[in-house]
Amino acid sequence: MNFRRTAYMMLALFVLIAGAGYAQDDIVIDFYFPSATANDAEGIFQRYADTFQERNEGITINPVFTGNYTDTRNTILTELQGGGAGPDVAVMLTIDLYSFAEEGYIIPLQGFIDAMDDGGAYINDFFPALLANGIDEEGNIWAIPFQRSTPILYYNADLLAEAGYDSPPTNNAELVEIAQALTTDDRDGLLVPVAGGFPIWMFQSFAIAYGQNIVSEDPTEVHFNTPEAVAAVEFVRSLGTDLGVGPAGGAAWGDTPVAFLAGQAAMIYHTTGNLSRILNGADFEVGVWYLPSGPAGEDGTGYGSPTGGGNLYVFDDGSKSEAELDAIWKWVMFLSSAEIQADWGATTGYIAANASAWETEPLASRALEYPQYGVARDQLQFARKEFSSYATITIQGIINKTLESILTGEAEDAQAALEAAQAQIDGILAEYK
Amino acid sequence: MNGAENILGRIAALARVFIAIVFLIPLVFTLLVSVRPEAQPVTKGNIFFGSELTAENYERALVIAPWSLHYLNSIIFVAGVLVVQLVTVTGAAYAFARMRFFGRSLLLMVILLQLMIPSGVLLVQNFRMINILGLFDTRVALMIPYWGSAFGVLLLRQTFREVPIELEEAARIDGANLFQVIRHVYVTNAIPAYLAFALVSVSSHWNEFLWPFIITRSQEIRPLTVGLNKLIKTTDQGAFYGQLMAGTLIVIAPLVILFLLFQRQFVESFARSGIR
Amino acid sequence: MRASSRRKPLVALLQPYLLIAPTLVLVLMFNVVPAIRTVNDSLHKPARGLNAAGKPPEFVGTQNFRDLFDHGHYMGSRFLRAFRNTIVFALATVTVGVPLGLLLALLFNHKQPLLGVWRFAVFYPSLLPLIGAASIWSFIFSDSIGLANAVLRSLGHPGLNWLGDRNLVLLSVIVVNIWKQAGYFMIFFLAGLQNIPRDLYEAASLDGAGEMQQFAALTLPLLRRTLLFVIVIAFIFAFQTVEQLQALGEGGPNDSANLLLYLIFQNISERRSWGYVNAMTIVLIGVVLTFTISNFLLFERDEND
């Protein structure tokens, strides 16, 4: 048939075109990345790839956009389970560690670091909180921080000043007081975005502020039924009910920054990944501060903020050569270098992952111009590990559904709901003990 | 006309206007939001126009993805699917409409299974198939699962059945072979059905979202929806409604223009296609 | 005829099979064979726990299905909700969307001024990518900055949490679906209407039948086949279109608006859940299959009358 010939010709032509791009002996690194911002991520990564290739002859970087984080995870899993080669390096959520390690898809990076002359200096340059999710229980590093964020408090400084508040709230009591003072018929005092399928991240902030993170060093342990967790979820629920500073059931994640920029929310909890958008988009003075401390105290132990975002992972089923692995590690080092982190942080607004990046241009002058960036960085000293365990997706699902049932009033007894969820979680994790 | 008829007519006229307005509201606001400043949702300023009109959303949406490349890829994708579909569908439709053979009902059932099995859940297995065929990350991989169309077979089988059998007999007497019969008797008499099928096929594949992501990696062959994905899933920064609306309009513009131009022919070809 | 067909050369006997072969092979490759393998996989449980990678799945009989229909099981409680929602969603689409499509066809059938505009107004939603359409509606439904609440608030109502209130989300999702598909259904009804000979109506008018009577006595019976066809399509679509949930509340708080296929997607990203994912897929296919085949049989029998 005519078409088949055309199809084969097209195929051949494509292979030719695709092949022509690479010199013959080049090592080609497939780099998969998600995009969760309105930036031209493809353009940015192509620029990084070009710079890298100039400096490293014989290595070609092939950046591939793979949707958002969920799409990226599913794309990679589908490819690997379906017998494909998969990426060499990928940016995935920090919490994807255990499931990919469990499948044997990714390799620990500790060996690369140990082999470096100044491996200690390289690692110590990263903010410790950002490394937490990439380390296994034996202390091996599996993932390098790259596209990182934490929740933070954004406030409309003009509105606060109008109401007589010169500084942002530093603890939950002040938070409630200011939020109530700023709530009007067409404005919410405080939006905590727990609606839209992913309440766990915001909830974790409050659980930490109440004194007990829900995750531990041990991936087979989850602390979801503690008194602190009960108090935390009841506090979040009360924001929309008794305290009336936001919508019942919580605000939607995607709309929260839009409402803030429109002046319809005086304060919001949102990710630092949003800093550049909010700073560029606001026609009022934007204040940024640590998430207010909870009952655990203002000595730092009550500031509650989990980390979030994506790390760099290296994929290898054992078939990669020494030379390939070397090239891969060079690319990882390049992306996590102060030079690239400074550019990445300034371009996208994500917090640069290492301390030296903050002294590197263009981030240094951007942070000077907008002190808000510095606040986001400084909050990292209080930041804790993000929720992650074995069977992360399943357990995260249970936690999210349980939180939603409490926050929307479907489950009135928070304690009982958390106990029931904990029992299910323990049942699942027993398989991994 | 009596009074009751008159009232019915007026109700119908009112209903037309009312329904059209309700259905159009989302489109109208898609347009309006796409030209509003980002910091002004409809709750701020004039509900329709905000404080000013801006092209900013389009400017930003345009730089976020290589749209002209995506356009070209989408056109190649939908055309490549359609061309092969027309061939496979015609043959199968003729066989099911006019030939008697062992297992006919059963085989038709098997083909109709395609309509009932959500292919989205078979991703891993379909990926494996594409990988075995050595087609991963090619245009053919993008198209091949759609080359057979149960919907098309069903539609054309119905149409072919309504072509008078005498036409085929006459052609046979004149010495036409099978392919000549199909081409000159059936295809010629089913042009409207083909047009209807083409429009359904094009619009559904134009909007295909999941499969292109899973099966392609090269920017050079990825269709429009991959670009749209970037505007929709800006999770870390919240929703950018202005850019999103601008992007959605960029993606659907060709389909909308096609429909507006061929609206009458489209509806009529459906009417004459024998779907009843 | 029969005698001569026995003497047909082999080529002629093979002809029909050759004609359907391409379609058949493609459907077998990309739909049927994977579905059959899914049946097998649904009877297995992936190896779980430490060092489970690479170990073969264990045969567990109908255990996955029993877990799914167990309210106390962590996956069962989610599945049963999604299953119920899917049925509600499908029934709402069929019982509201299909009659609405018919109404639209009746309103926009005859020649009238601006006909193209009217038809465009109700048909364009079906040209939108589902996820794009859903994003437009997420803007309309947004709690604090959305269009719907802006209107409600201007009327003195405090507004509704369309995508956050567990009792409202499924309704919101259904509204979007009906809006998106009613125009598509209309096209099929328009086709059916235009195939009804005009003189039938003229005869009925001469007999003194009003429009209502004509509709009941003529239009509806003659549209029966179209109606069945549209119902089948509407039902199949309702089970298979879920991308919109990504923009419309991610299945709602505690799965209050989750749909089966979307729940499957949510759990596809962890291998340990694949036994459940496959079992859910089989339930989904089973429901659609039962419904469609019974309708198709009706359809075919009707046709052969």
Side-chain angles (χ1 to χ4, degrees):
Chain A
M1 253 202 212
N2 229 344
F3 187 84
R4 191 173 298 164
R5 218 169 56 213
T6 322
Y8 278 125
M9 272 168 60
M10 265 166 56
L11 185 63
L13 196 70
F14 169 77
V15 171
L16 223 75
I17 293 168
Y22 306 127
Q24 217 158 27
D25 296 318
D26 270 12
I27 291 174
V28 179
I29 296 176
D30 289 322
F31 171 61
Y32 289 10
F33 62 92
S35 171
T37 66
N39 294 298
D40 174 20
E42 265 162 337
I44 299 174
F45 280 116
Q46 193 53 57
R47 184 158 58 79
Y48 294 163
D50 292 343
T51 310
F52 179 80
Q53 281 157 198
E54 267 168 39
R55 295 181 201 168
N56 296 276
E57 213 154 295
I59 306 176
T60 303
I61 305 296
N62 177 30
V64 180
F65 167 59
T66 41
N68 67 358
Y69 281 118
T70 311
D71 299 334
T72 299
R73 182 187 165 104
N74 288 347
T75 301
I76 293 175
L77 273 180
T78 305
E79 188 174 344
L80 289 168
Q81 295 280 349
D88 296 304
V89 180
V91 177
M92 297 191 299
L93 284 178
T94 61
I95 61 165
D96 285 333
L97 171 66
Y98 289 111
S99 42
F100 280 80
E102 211 184 305
E103 298 290 340
Y105 293 150
I106 56 171
I107 53 169
L109 306 177
Q110 192 65 48
F112 293 110
I113 297 162
D114 294 343
M116 287 168 71
D117 293 336
D118 52 353
Y122 169 68
I123 287 303
N124 290 335
D125 194 23
F126 291 108
F127 296 103
L130 299 183
L131 284 169
N133 275 88
I135 301 178
D136 67 14
E137 60 268 49
E138 278 145 28
N140 294 310
I141 292 180
W142 285 71
I144 299 295
F146 178 70
Q147 173 170 293
R148 300 302 299 273
S149 52
T150 68
I152 201 161
L153 177 75
Y154 293 89
Y155 62 95
N156 185 324
D158 294 355
L159 288 178
L160 259 70
E162 256 171 56
Y165 297 100
D166 295 331
S167 55
T170 57
N171 58 44
N172 280 354
E174 289 174 24
L175 180 71
V176 170
E177 185 198 319
I178 299 180
Q180 283 181 324
L182 289 171
T183 301
T184 64
D185 277 350
D186 47 12
R187 184 174 68 215
D188 290 312
L190 170 67
L191 293 182
V192 177
V194 286
F198 197 68
I200 183 170
W201 208 42
M202 287 296 140
F203 161 74
Q204 221 190 320
S205 311
F206 289 96
I208 296 169
Y210 272 79
Q212 173 70 57
N213 200 349
I214 57 174
V215 56
S216 68
E217 295 311 306
D218 181 348
T220 65
E221 255 177 52
V222 172
H223 309 290
F224 192 47
N225 59 344
T226 61
E228 290 87 352
V230 175
V233 70
E234 282 177 343
F235 178 74
V236 179
R237 177 168 63 184
S238 71
L239 293 173
T241 55
D242 307 346
L243 303 172
V245 296
W253 177 266
D255 295 335
T256 297
V258 187
F260 181 68
L261 287 175
Q264 285 181 260
M267 299 185 283
I268 61 168
Y269 274 41
H270 220 267
T271 166
T272 52
N274 220 335
L275 251 176
S276 58
R277 177 199 186 172
I278 287 183
L279 292 177
N280 294 339
D283 54 6
F284 51 84
E285 198 195 326
V286 175
V288 164
W289 198 241
Y290 309 151
L291 296 184
S293 71
E298 292 186 42
D299 52 351
T301 54
Y303 287 109
S305 162
T307 63
N311 278 340
L312 294 163
Y313 293 90
V314 172
F315 287 74
D316 181 21
D317 56 359
S319 68
K320 282 178 185 149
S321 71
E322 199 75 15
E324 283 171 304
L325 288 171
D326 273 353
I328 287 170
W329 181 243
K330 271 188 189 153
W331 173 241
V332 170
M333 295 267 294
F334 177 76
L335 287 177
S336 57
S337 67
E339 175 197 358
I340 294 302
Q341 280 294 302
D343 183 89
W344 180 246
T347 316
T348 62
Y350 286 108
I351 353 175
N354 33 24
S356 55
W358 291 85
E359 287 143 29
T360 309
E361 291 302 342
L363 184 59
S365 43
R366 184 143 177 102
L368 213 61
E369 189 184 347
Y370 295 103
Q372 292 96 331
Y373 279 93
V375 178
R377 174 197 59 206
D378 294 343
Q379 191 192 226
L380 284 175
Q381 61 188 303
F382 310 115
R384 308 289 167 78
K385 191 177 177 182
E386 184 179 10
F387 173 80
S388 148
S389 68
Y390 286 120
T392 295
I393 300 287
T394 305
I395 292 177
Q396 205 187 59
I398 294 173
I399 293 178
N400 279 328
K401 297 300 134 193
T402 307
L403 292 173
E404 284 168 353
S405 74
I406 298 169
L407 293 172
T408 57
E410 188 185 345
E412 277 178 33
D413 186 345
Q415 170 88 43
L418 295 187
E419 293 290 354
Q422 183 74 42
Q424 289 181 337
I425 293 168
D426 289 342
I428 293 167
L429 286 175
E431 291 169 10
Y432 297 87
K433 299 235 176 191
Chain B
M1 243 187 212
N2 59 35
E5 293 286 295
N6 221 338
I7 291 172
L8 205 63
R10 281 191 193 165
I11 293 176
L14 272 176
R16 268 191 280 272
V17 176
F18 176 76
I19 288 176
I21 290 176
V22 169
F23 270 76
L24 276 174
I25 285 174
L27 184 64
V28 169
F29 275 88
T30 300
L31 268 165
L32 290 175
V33 171
S34 78
V35 292
R36 268 176 104 98
E38 195 74 69
Q40 285 187 15
V42 290
T43 42
K44 199 176 174 187
N46 180 298
I47 190 166
F48 294 108
F49 301 109
S51 64
E52 53 166 344
L53 299 184
T54 168
E56 215 180 34
N57 295 314
Y58 286 91
E59 284 161 17
R60 280 199 246 137
L62 282 173
V63 297
I64 219 171
W67 294 105
S68 49
L69 181 65
H70 284 324
Y71 257 114
L72 182 68
N73 291 335
S74 278
I75 291 169
I76 294 175
F77 171 41
V78 297
V81 168
L82 183 63
V83 168
V84 181
Q85 273 181 341
L86 291 178
V87 176
T88 60
V89 160
T90 302
Y94 174 80
F96 285 120
R98 282 290 145 87
M99 294 173 125
R100 294 195 164 271
F101 53 94
F102 178 73
R104 190 174 72 159
S105 298
L106 179 75
L107 290 174
L108 182 60
M109 273 309 186
V110 171
I111 285 176
L112 290 184
L113 280 175
Q114 190 196 45
L115 285 174
M116 299 163 225
I117 298 171
S119 52
V121 298
L122 308 171
L123 285 177
V124 172
Q125 306 197 28
N126 285 346
F127 181 95
R128 191 173 291 148
M129 180 63 75
I130 295 289
N131 209 31
I132 290 168
L133 297 173
L135 293 173
F136 175 56
D137 197 20
T138 64
R139 288 191 200 274
V140 178
L142 209 52
M143 301 172 193
I144 193 172
Y146 307 110
W147 277 348
S149 166
F151 181 84
V153 171
L154 202 58
L155 186 74
L156 285 175
R157 164 178 166 270
Q158 189 70 31
T159 314
F160 287 176
R161 279 182 160 189
E162 283 166 22
V163 174
I165 189 91
E166 294 78 18
L167 290 178
E168 172 171 353
E169 283 162 1
R172 294 266 188 198
I173 290 168
D174 288 345
N177 65 26
L178 179 65
F179 290 102
Q180 288 164 329
V181 164
I182 292 180
R183 199 172 143 203
H184 296 298
V185 176
Y186 288 93
V187 175
T188 8
N189 279 298
I191 296 296
Y194 279 104
L195 193 58
F197 172 66
L199 283 159
V200 168
S201 167
V202 165
S203 68
S204 73
H205 296 118
W206 190 264
N207 294 329
E208 189 64 49
F209 207 74
L210 199 55
W211 184 242
F213 247 108
I214 296 291
I215 212 64
T216 67
R217 297 289 176 268
S218 307
Q219 176 100 288
E220 289 74 21
I221 59 171
R222 288 179 148 186
L224 278 169
T225 39
V226 171
L228 185 61
N229 186 302
K230 277 186 229 170
L231 290 167
I232 289 173
K233 295 177 174 172
T234 53
T235 326
D236 281 350
Q237 298 182 317
F240 285 83
Y241 286 115
Q243 288 173 51
L244 179 53
M245 302 293 172
T248 306
L249 289 173
I250 291 172
V251 170
I252 64 161
L255 291 184
V256 168
I257 292 167
L258 270 181
F259 181 79
L260 279 175
L261 287 178
F262 295 110
Q263 178 273 130
R264 260 224 351 256
Q265 289 88 329
F266 181 32
V267 173
E268 276 166 17
S269 48
F270 254 85
R272 281 186 277 151
S273 67
I275 329 161
R276 276 190 262 163
Chain C
M1 280 305 274
R2 192 159 286 177
S4 72
S5 76
R6 272 197 203 117
R7 270 182 273 118
K8 269 186 189 171
L10 190 64
V11 180
L13 278 176
L14 285 178
Q15 257 175 3
Y17 299 103
L18 291 175
L19 287 174
I20 62 171
T23 308
L24 191 65
V25 168
L26 286 164
V27 170
L28 286 175
M29 260 166 61
F30 290 102
N31 301 87
V32 178
V33 172
I36 291 169
R37 291 180 59 152
T38 304
V39 174
N40 179 50
D41 291 348
S42 72
L43 302 175
H44 288 77
K45 188 168 104 176
R48 296 170 180 172
L50 296 171
N51 311 318
K55 283 186 196 157
E58 174 197 351
F59 180 81
V60 290
T62 57
Q63 185 63 47
N64 291 326
F65 293 91
R66 275 180 279 144
D67 284 351
L68 288 184
F69 284 94
D70 172 4
H71 234 295
H73 191 271
Y74 67 90
M75 197 62 85
S77 58
R78 299 194 67 182
F79 165 79
L80 288 169
R81 272 194 180 206
F83 188 67
R84 189 207 59 194
N85 291 340
T86 306
I87 301 287
V88 171
F89 179 75
L91 288 179
T93 310
V94 171
T95 54
V96 181
V98 175
L100 180 61
L102 177 57
L103 177 69
L104 295 176
L106 291 170
L107 286 175
F108 303 129
N109 185 29
H110 301 297
K111 278 221 166 76
Q112 54 189 286
L114 299 175
L115 184 62
V117 176
W118 301 131
R119 282 180 179 169
F120 172 77
V122 294
F123 184 73
Y124 82 90
S126 61
L127 294 174
L128 296 170
L130 189 52
I131 183 95
S135 305
I136 293 172
W137 279 89
S138 77
F139 142 78
I140 293 175
F141 284 145
S142 163
D143 175 59
S144 49
I145 47 152
L147 182 62
N149 280 352
V151 172
L152 282 179
R153 282 176 189 140
S154 73
L155 299 173
H157 187 280
L160 294 165
N161 198 349
W162 299 96
L163 300 176
D165 183 331
R166 66 193 151 91
N167 299 315
L168 259 183
V169 201
L170 187 58
L171 183 68
S172 304
V173 174
I174 289 172
V175 166
V176 175
N177 196 48
I178 290 172
W179 166 84
K180 177 121 173 53
Q181 295 188 343
Y184 188 66
F185 301 153
M186 171 190 77
I187 296 287
F188 293 94
F189 287 122
L190 279 178
L193 284 174
Q194 300 203 347
N195 280 327
I196 301 176
R198 271 288 151 81
D199 36 348
L200 283 181
Y201 288 105
E202 280 159 22
S205 278
L206 287 178
D207 289 348
E211 280 195 29
M212 288 295 214
Q213 286 157 299
Q214 288 182 16
F215 176 73
L218 264 180
T219 315
L220 210 51
L222 287 171
L223 278 181
R224 225 183 115 220
R225 267 164 50 183
T226 313
L227 200 60
L228 274 170
F229 183 77
V230 173
I231 288 174
V232 169
I233 296 194
F235 201 83
I236 289 176
F237 281 2
F239 273 80
Q240 302 197 356
T241 52
V242 294
E243 285 162 22
Q244 72 271 36
L245 296 190
Q246 288 184 17
L248 295 173
E250 293 275 356
N254 198 17
D255 292 325
S256 51
N258 212 352
L259 300 177
L260 201 41
L261 187 53
Y262 197 68
L263 181 63
I264 291 174
F265 282 135
Q266 286 176 327
N267 285 288
I268 230 165
S269 22
E270 205 157 61
R271 193 179 49 84
R272 70 187 313 284
S273 303
W274 283 8
Y276 297 133
V277 164
N278 288 316
M280 287 193 264
T281 307
I282 294 306
V283 172
L284 181 65
I285 294 175
V287 173
V288 181
L289 211 62
T290 314
F291 181 86
T292 318
I293 288 183
S294 51
N295 263 284
F296 186 70
L297 290 177
L298 267 173
F299 197 44
E300 283 289 276
R301 205 182 54 200
D302 197 55
E303 205 165 74
N304 295 336
D305 281 347

